[in-house]
Amino acid sequence: QVQLVESGGGSVQAGGSLRLSCAASGLTFSSNAMGWFRQAPGKERQFLAAIRGSDYLTYYADSVKGRFTISWDNSKNTGYLQIYALKPEDTAVYYCATRTDFYTANPLDYHHWGQGTQVTVSS
């Protein structure tokens, strides 16, 4: 059974950085993909980035390219989302999710989700 646990969120000032973690258990990453999403109050869940386990190929939403970096540490079975130059509009609950095989930007395609971690950015 796959379990995902996010951590690393918090309250930061605009311009700061955060690294979110997603600890995975019960997962063979090489045959899966991990995606990161966020959801702000009253808004739909938004795709941010994904990484494919077979070759660590990454994919980013255009809106976050250059500011967000997704990675995976196989020794720790943990995925990461590094966020630079945080803006107030980055305030949201951030989720990691996994699915088998290739990544997509559609949250409905992902089978397992973490509980989310809150990121709050003040101006």
Side-chain angles (χ1 to χ4, degrees):
Q1 182 178 351
V2 176
Q3 288 190 323
L4 305 173
V5 179
E6 297 101 333
S7 61
S11 297
V12 296
Q13 289 199 325
S17 301
L18 278 176
R19 189 178 75 162
L20 308 181
S21 300
C22 177
S25 59
L27 177 74
T28 302
F29 189 63
S30 59
S31 56
N32 283 268
M34 175 173 282
W36 281 91
F37 298 80
R38 68 185 179 189
Q39 189 164 20
K43 295 190 175 181
E44 292 187 350
R45 195 160 293 192
Q46 177 191 8
F47 170 77
L48 301 172
I51 184 167
R52 187 168 67 182
S54 59
D55 56 7
Y56 291 17
L57 189 66
T58 59
Y59 172 54
Y60 294 92
D62 288 342
S63 60
V64 304
K65 282 181 182 176
R67 280 201 310 126
F68 288 36
T69 302
I70 190 172
S71 61
W72 173 264
D73 185 337
N74 210 43
S75 68
K76 298 180 179 179
N77 231 38
T78 298
Y80 300 96
L81 185 70
Q82 178 75 51
I83 310 173
Y84 301 96
L86 279 155
K87 307 174 183 179
E89 50 264 42
D90 292 323
T91 296
V93 178
Y94 285 68
Y95 299 90
C96 61
T98 60
R99 68 180 305 272
T100 53
D101 219 16
F102 200 68
Y103 48 64
T104 80
N106 186 348
L108 297 177
D109 291 334
Y110 287 77
H111 312 305
H112 304 284
W113 290 83
Q115 82 287 354
T117 186
Q118 176 72 46
V119 172
T120 303
V121 185
S122 57
S123 57

